[in-house]
Amino acid sequence: QVQLVESGGGLVQPGGSLRLSCAASGSILRINVMGWYRQAPGKQRELVAAISSGGSTNYADSAKGRFTISVDNAKNTVYLQMNSLKPEDTAVYYCNADLRTWASAARNYWGQGTQVTVSS
């Protein structure tokens, strides 16, 4: 069984920074892509950033220049460094992983979400 456990959310003032972490655990054979999505109240869930096992990254336009995604393959952990945060970044942030286990083909897994609130 695979688990994605997020941490690092919280309340921060505009212009501040937060670092989110997501650790994947279980009978993981191979992680193809890990990423972060977010969902604000009344809005659809959207991609924030993603990183492949080879290190290729993809960012939403709103995240470019402010957020940085990175991965520690040895720890099966993905990070999202968020700088220059804005009130519109307020949302629940979800970790996502496309991975294969010893028992199943590759599929998507989601974390439980962590709240990020940007407010003065």
Side-chain angles (χ1 to χ4, degrees):
Q1 188 171 353
V2 173
Q3 281 191 317
L4 301 181
V5 179
E6 300 129 331
S7 61
L11 173 64
V12 63
Q13 292 187 342
S17 298
L18 281 175
R19 189 191 194 210
L20 305 183
S21 300
C22 171
S25 63
S27 302
I28 298 169
L29 178 60
R30 175 184 169 83
I31 298 177
N32 297 315
V33 180
M34 295 190 80
W36 291 94
Y37 288 71
R38 68 186 182 187
Q39 187 166 20
K43 295 189 177 182
Q44 288 189 327
R45 191 173 297 189
E46 62 179 3
L47 174 70
V48 177
I51 185 167
S52 72
S53 59
S56 297
T57 57
N58 182 32
Y59 291 94
D61 287 343
S62 59
K64 290 177 181 177
R66 299 188 300 127
F67 295 0
T68 302
I69 191 169
S70 60
V71 64
D72 184 333
N73 290 317
K75 295 182 179 180
N76 289 337
T77 299
V78 64
Y79 306 95
L80 185 68
Q81 178 66 44
M82 303 186 293
N83 299 328
S84 302
L85 283 161
K86 306 174 182 180
E88 50 263 44
D89 293 317
T90 296
V92 178
Y93 284 69
Y94 295 92
C95 177
N96 176 272
D98 180 271
L99 61 84
R100 180 180 175 184
T101 69
W102 290 96
S104 66
R107 51 157 283 196
N108 260 282
Y109 294 84
W110 291 93
Q112 79 284 357
T114 185
Q115 177 70 45
V116 171
T117 302
V118 185
S119 175
S120 55

